[in-house]
Amino acid sequence: MRLECDSTATIAKVKDVCNHFEEVKVVEEAAVNTVIKIEGLDCANCARELEEEIEKVEGVTTVSVDFVGQKVRLECDSTATIAKVKDVCNHFEEVKVVEEAAAADTKKIKIKDLCCANCGRELEEILNKIEGVTATVDFMNMSITLAAEGEAYDKAIYEITHFEDVKIVVDKPSKPKGVIRTHVKEIIQLAISVIFFIPALVLYLTGGNTLTIISYPLFAISYLSVGYPVLINTAKNIAKGRVFDENFLMTIVSVGAIILGIFWGEGLYEGVAVMILYQLGELLQSIAVGSSRRSITDLMDLKSDSATILKDGQQVTVKPEELEVGDIMLVKAGEKIAADGVIVKGKSSLDMRSLNGESVPQDVKEGQEVLSGSINISGAVEVKVIRRYSDSAVAKILDLVENSTAKKAQPEKFITKFAKYYTPAVCIAAVIVAAIVPTIVCAVEGLFVWNTYAGWIYRALSFLVISCPCALVISVPLSYFGGIGQCARYGILAKGSTSLDELAKATVAAFDKTGTLTEGSFKISSYSDEKTLRLAAAAEKFSSHPIAQAFGGIITEYTAEDAEEIAGRGVKCTVNGKTLLCGNAAMMQENGVKFGSKQSIYTLVYVAYGGEYVGCIEIGDGVKQGAAKTIADLRSQGVSYCEMLTGDNPVRAEAVAKEAGLNGYRASLLPDGKLERAEELKKQGKLIYVGDGINDAPVMAAADCAVSMGKVGSDAAIEASDIVLVTDSLELLPKAKKIAKGTRSIVFQNIIGSLVIKLAIMVLSLTLANFPLIVAVVADVGVMLVAVLNAMRTRLIK
């Protein structure tokens, strides 16, 4: 057994389960395979050095340190050796083993008043420093995913509630207010500040000692009315030993400029303007982010407030959470379907725009499955509930979107790490510019000159302004958030920014056949004789394979017993004391049955009874409409090679591959054969694998980006996939690819653009003697706003 888990404690639990399962016994000490999750491994060379250190540990057989995945894959002689390896990891530079805390109960805590993404990063670092706590702060969704117990949990809650102005939202948040009502406090503060700033600036620039002195109290009121929250947060953070955040930067820059203006005569109004523009930028950023959040909230407004069920001839109104499997819902025109079900009476048309982005209504009738979140737009229908609300399409969609920012792509991780070191580095550089450079200049000239110090301090303040990392820290996750939301608009559910990134980079695609490239609706095309057909029907009723659906309506006098479904082969059972085999050619060959193998474009099912060949049945399954267009669109999106992996016969596989326009196919593959071929394809480039998320779980786990289709109600599909297509439409895949590529492009535009502009301003502030501080402020706010607006372009990707 190969196991990847969070801790040695979990390994022990798994062993206990194995030891208590029927006759199974764990054979352990001989060899233990595990994966140890780590963090803080900074470079590939460090990974090599760590690997060498672990190899020295007695009992280690093989080890591989995955720098990109931040994992140590280990094979050793015992769990005691695992503990030694973890100890080596924990004492190697900044590396830490990520374990035990993950076993604690995980809670999602809603918060409010977290002012910026950079503050979210700082809060996340503070929480993860607490022993026994694993936390992820989601600035976009204003939530914290917290894994902790007992005292560690209490400490985490204390840190959350004492971090700046952050508060925990206890009650269910109300619907978002308008922009004015949401930000009324900030707007009033800015208005008061500007009202006092404009006359103060006029008086200050007019000249004259009297007018200048009058301007001072006006500037003070203007500054304090908008800047007091920043000053208070700076004082609180310094008291807790936290510096180098944006509050600290803005306080130093603005106060420094004001002091220079009072004693040197230049910089006073700019110091006040720094704070006004900074708070204006924060307000505009908050509005932009709020707009993105509302767009997702509106998009995901799928849940029905209530459901009407028919009980004892009466109509009873219940909450969706109270619905049970088997309940009959009455869905009238204009109402949302509250839970996934099957229509048992009536016919109608459904508006499924919120699920798949399609504006054309879908006609449905008795016997058809319908998904929750769909809107009934014509006649009333009765729907039998087939899944509880917690397992329904709506619940899965809401959960996926809400947690979509938890998995971070490499660009996000890079920016988070970059911001951690970037701001302190720039602050240190500013100190050098303000103190050491003028000291050297004065020493060379042999004379202390205040103007020399004042000039370089002024330059250092300009240098410091541009060091705020907000443009980077907010724009990257906001871009991914927008991309995920745009995907959801078309019925494409991405499990996180990592999924989008992998999809964007993929250049190779592999497809399952049945239900993916083909309709998955099997029908019998021909058969040898009635006996062959009825024997097959007796065996196939025990099969979970989609082909078994073709035999559903056939009446048979044969009764099968001791049925066994053999993966990749067929069904073996007993009828009247004789062995009945129903499956593919490989099953016949392996059981020594002499039969006449035939070639056909259809799927072939051979039947043998009592060791004698009986006959053959041909099962038809048409290629999906739009499959060829999907493959062509994927090629235009940069996927250079497309292949089908199937267990079907070569003739049928070739026909499907040709009709779909694939580059190639591999037929007669068992699950392990598919996995082996997938590993080979990965050598050509990043691999997308498209399947049903259940039968092909091993291959999907191996793929760089796994896509499942039309199985949003299935836990197995959600678990195995990176991308879930809500419907069975294969044409959603190139749409997802295009959105992913567009999102990734916008992310890199923001990263490169922000860094280039910031670097340019830094250089100018150091090289130009009279470079205005106000230009640096406007540039910083401007970069942040441009990056945020650019990030919002993900919502415009068509």
Side-chain angles (χ1 to χ4, degrees):
M1 176 187 289
R2 295 186 179 274
L3 178 68
E4 182 174 329
C5 60
D6 56 8
S7 67
T8 51
T10 304
I11 294 174
K13 292 177 183 177
V14 172
K15 288 178 180 177
D16 186 62
V17 171
C18 293
N19 282 324
H20 288 82
F21 183 82
E22 296 182 358
E23 302 300 319
V24 175
K25 294 296 176 185
V26 173
V27 181
E28 51 179 354
E29 302 304 306
V32 177
N33 292 282
T34 189
V35 176
I36 302 171
K37 297 179 183 179
I38 58 174
E39 63 181 9
L41 188 60
D42 292 330
C43 67
N45 190 51
C46 296
R48 178 188 59 79
E49 293 176 0
L50 176 58
E51 200 170 279
E52 291 176 355
E53 290 294 316
I54 294 173
E55 285 174 346
K56 296 176 184 177
V57 177
E58 185 178 352
V60 171
T61 308
T62 59
V63 61
S64 173
V65 177
D66 180 358
F67 162 62
V68 176
Q70 296 282 288
K71 296 175 182 177
V72 177
R73 302 181 188 279
L74 183 69
E75 183 176 325
C76 59
D77 59 359
S78 66
T79 52
T81 304
I82 295 175
K84 294 177 184 177
V85 171
K86 289 180 178 178
D87 188 62
V88 170
C89 294
N90 283 324
H91 289 85
F92 184 84
E93 297 183 358
E94 302 299 320
V95 175
K96 295 294 178 189
V97 173
V98 182
E99 53 170 1
E100 309 297 357
D105 289 338
T106 300
K107 298 179 177 66
K108 173 156 282 192
I109 300 171
K110 287 286 184 181
I111 58 172
K112 63 179 181 178
D113 298 337
L114 182 63
C115 63
C116 71
N118 196 42
C119 295
R121 176 188 62 80
E122 291 177 5
L123 177 56
E124 188 174 295
E125 285 185 3
I126 291 168
L127 293 174
N128 284 313
K129 286 178 181 177
I130 302 172
E131 186 176 353
V133 170
T134 299
T136 302
V137 176
D138 184 351
F139 173 66
M140 296 304 308
N141 285 314
M142 280 291 165
S143 65
I144 299 174
T145 303
L146 187 66
E149 291 180 339
E151 187 177 345
Y153 179 81
D154 294 337
K155 287 180 180 178
I157 295 298
Y158 177 85
E159 290 293 344
I160 294 169
T161 54
H162 286 77
F163 184 85
E164 297 183 358
D165 296 321
V166 174
K167 299 179 184 65
I168 292 176
V169 179
V170 178
D171 298 319
K172 183 180 179 181
S174 57
K175 290 186 177 180
K177 304 173 183 177
V179 172
I180 301 298
R181 290 183 62 194
T182 303
H183 302 285
V184 62
K185 182 180 177 181
E186 294 89 341
I187 293 172
I188 291 174
Q189 288 173 346
L190 276 169
I192 293 172
S193 181
V194 171
I195 288 170
F196 282 94
F197 178 77
I198 293 174
L201 180 62
V202 172
L203 292 173
Y204 184 78
L205 296 178
T206 301
N209 290 335
T210 303
L211 294 178
T212 301
I213 292 172
I214 294 174
S215 71
Y216 286 169
L218 297 178
F219 275 132
I221 295 172
S222 176
Y223 179 81
L224 292 173
S225 63
V226 77
Y228 80 88
V230 177
L231 298 176
I232 291 172
N233 284 333
T234 299
K236 287 180 180 179
N237 291 343
I238 291 175
K240 295 176 181 178
R242 279 202 318 268
V243 292
F244 299 130
D245 65 351
E246 60 176 7
N247 292 301
F248 176 80
L249 292 178
M250 290 304 115
T251 298
I252 293 297
V253 172
S254 60
V255 172
I258 290 170
I259 292 172
L260 282 179
I262 293 173
F263 293 102
W264 189 42
E266 187 172 336
L268 175 60
Y269 76 89
E270 290 172 304
V272 181
V274 164
M275 192 59 74
I276 294 175
L277 288 173
Y278 167 69
Q279 293 289 53
L280 176 61
E282 290 292 293
L283 174 61
L284 294 176
Q285 172 190 290
S286 181
I287 291 172
V289 174
S291 174
S292 288
R293 286 195 186 114
R294 278 192 297 276
S295 71
I296 299 296
T297 302
D298 294 342
L299 179 68
M300 292 293 99
D301 186 23
L302 298 171
K303 184 180 177 181
S304 176
D305 294 327
S306 62
T308 302
I309 61 173
L310 300 176
K311 197 169 186 179
D312 300 327
Q314 301 293 318
Q315 295 183 16
V316 181
T317 302
V318 298
K319 294 180 179 179
E321 291 86 354
E322 297 173 351
L323 290 169
E324 297 288 345
V325 174
D327 284 346
I328 304 297
M329 297 184 293
L330 175 63
V331 186
K332 301 174 184 176
E335 293 181 343
K336 291 177 186 173
I337 296 175
D340 299 348
V342 173
I343 296 179
V344 293
K345 185 178 181 181
K347 60 181 180 178
S348 182
S349 293
L350 301 181
D351 180 350
M352 298 185 67
R353 257 177 302 192
S354 295
L355 291 173
N356 60 16
E358 295 293 336
S359 57
V360 180
Q362 178 180 326
D363 293 331
V364 290
K365 58 185 179 180
E366 287 183 24
Q368 284 188 261
E369 183 176 335
V370 291
L371 294 177
S372 52
S374 306
I375 301 174
N376 183 17
I377 58 176
S378 55
V381 292
E382 293 181 13
V383 179
K384 183 179 180 180
V385 177
I386 58 173
R387 299 184 194 97
R388 294 173 61 91
Y389 172 77
S390 58
D391 299 319
S392 68
V394 162
K396 299 297 183 186
I397 291 171
L398 294 175
D399 182 65
L400 274 178
V401 174
E402 186 174 347
N403 294 294
S404 61
T405 53
K407 292 186 177 181
K408 297 179 180 179
Q410 286 301 323
E412 277 189 276
K413 294 175 182 177
F414 163 75
I415 288 302
T416 301
K417 195 164 192 176
F418 177 83
K420 181 179 179 180
Y421 298 106
Y422 165 73
T423 305
V426 173
C427 288
I428 293 170
V431 171
I432 294 172
V433 171
I436 297 177
V437 173
T439 299
I440 294 173
V441 172
C442 289
V444 171
E445 295 177 353
L447 181 67
F448 174 82
V449 181
W450 163 245
N451 281 352
T452 300
Y453 274 89
W456 281 100
I457 291 173
Y458 186 80
R459 293 184 186 187
L461 293 177
S462 297
F463 190 77
L464 206 57
V465 165
I466 205 68
S467 69
C468 184
C470 273
L472 290 167
V473 176
I474 183 59
S475 65
V476 173
L478 184 60
S479 299
Y480 282 118
F481 189 73
I484 290 167
Q486 187 69 353
C487 281
R489 195 180 299 271
Y490 290 98
I492 305 158
L493 306 181
K495 291 178 79 170
S497 55
T498 303
S499 303
L500 278 190
D501 236 32
E502 294 296 330
L503 181 60
K505 294 185 288 185
T507 57
V508 182
F511 299 82
D512 178 36
K513 179 180 75 69
T514 305
T516 302
L517 289 171
T518 63
E519 293 291 349
S521 301
F522 292 96
K523 295 180 180 178
I524 296 172
S525 299
S526 67
Y527 52 92
S528 301
D529 51 46
E530 286 293 331
K531 181 180 179 181
T532 300
L533 185 63
R534 292 197 295 273
L535 281 170
E540 290 291 347
K541 71 177 183 179
F542 294 101
S543 175
S544 60
H545 195 280
I547 285 179
Q549 298 170 5
F551 297 89
I554 298 172
I555 300 173
T556 176
E557 69 273 24
Y558 298 104
T559 303
E561 298 175 339
D562 302 323
E564 177 189 2
E565 184 166 15
I566 302 170
R569 293 293 187 261
V571 178
K572 180 179 181 181
C573 58
T574 302
V575 173
N576 297 329
K578 296 181 180 180
T579 299
L580 171 63
L581 301 176
C582 183
N584 56 22
M587 173 175 259
M588 300 296 115
Q589 292 166 354
E590 291 171 0
N591 287 273
V593 177
K594 295 180 180 181
F595 69 106
S597 179
K598 60 185 294 186
Q599 300 296 314
S600 172
I601 63 169
Y602 298 111
T603 299
L604 299 173
V605 177
Y606 296 95
V607 179
Y609 184 50
E612 299 294 328
Y613 176 65
V614 176
C616 177
I617 302 168
E618 292 185 315
I619 308 292
D621 180 23
V623 175
K624 279 187 177 178
Q625 183 179 0
K629 183 178 184 301
T630 295
I631 303 303
D633 288 345
L634 282 176
R635 287 203 178 93
S636 70
Q637 296 292 335
V639 178
S640 58
Y641 186 83
C642 299
E643 184 173 290
M644 180 176 68
L645 307 180
T646 178
D648 208 345
N649 69 77
V651 176
R652 174 60 178 155
E654 183 180 13
V656 172
K658 185 176 181 180
E659 187 174 345
L662 298 169
N663 295 92
Y665 66 91
R666 292 296 174 95
S668 304
L669 293 178
L670 294 176
D672 58 341
K674 286 188 177 184
L675 180 58
E676 185 178 329
R677 180 55 183 162
E679 294 292 351
E680 292 173 2
L681 290 173
K682 286 175 69 176
K683 295 175 183 177
Q684 299 180 28
K686 292 283 186 179
L687 173 66
I688 304 170
Y689 184 83
V690 189
D692 60 16
I694 303 172
N695 299 328
D696 293 321
V699 194
M700 301 188 88
D704 296 292
C705 182
V707 181
S708 65
M709 301 180 57
K711 301 288 184 181
V712 76
S714 165
D715 285 327
I718 297 288
E719 196 64 35
S721 310
D722 299 298
I723 305 288
V724 179
L725 307 182
V726 173
T727 67
D728 282 323
S729 174
L730 198 60
E731 292 177 90
L732 289 176
L733 184 57
K735 290 183 181 181
K737 174 75 170 171
K738 185 174 183 180
I739 294 171
K741 287 184 68 177
T743 300
R744 184 172 168 81
S745 174
I746 288 172
V747 165
F748 279 93
Q749 289 170 17
N750 281 336
I751 292 174
I752 296 170
S754 299
L755 288 176
V756 168
I757 294 172
K758 283 179 177 288
L759 182 61
I761 297 297
M762 287 180 183
V763 172
L764 290 173
S765 67
L766 293 178
T767 56
L768 298 181
N770 297 313
F771 185 78
L773 177 63
I774 195 69
V775 174
V777 178
V778 172
D780 180 61
V781 174
V783 167
M784 184 269 292
L785 289 178
V786 169
V788 168
L789 292 173
N790 192 42
M792 294 175 69
R793 284 199 307 115
T794 52
R795 293 159 57 185
L796 304 177
I797 299 173
K798 300 297 182 183

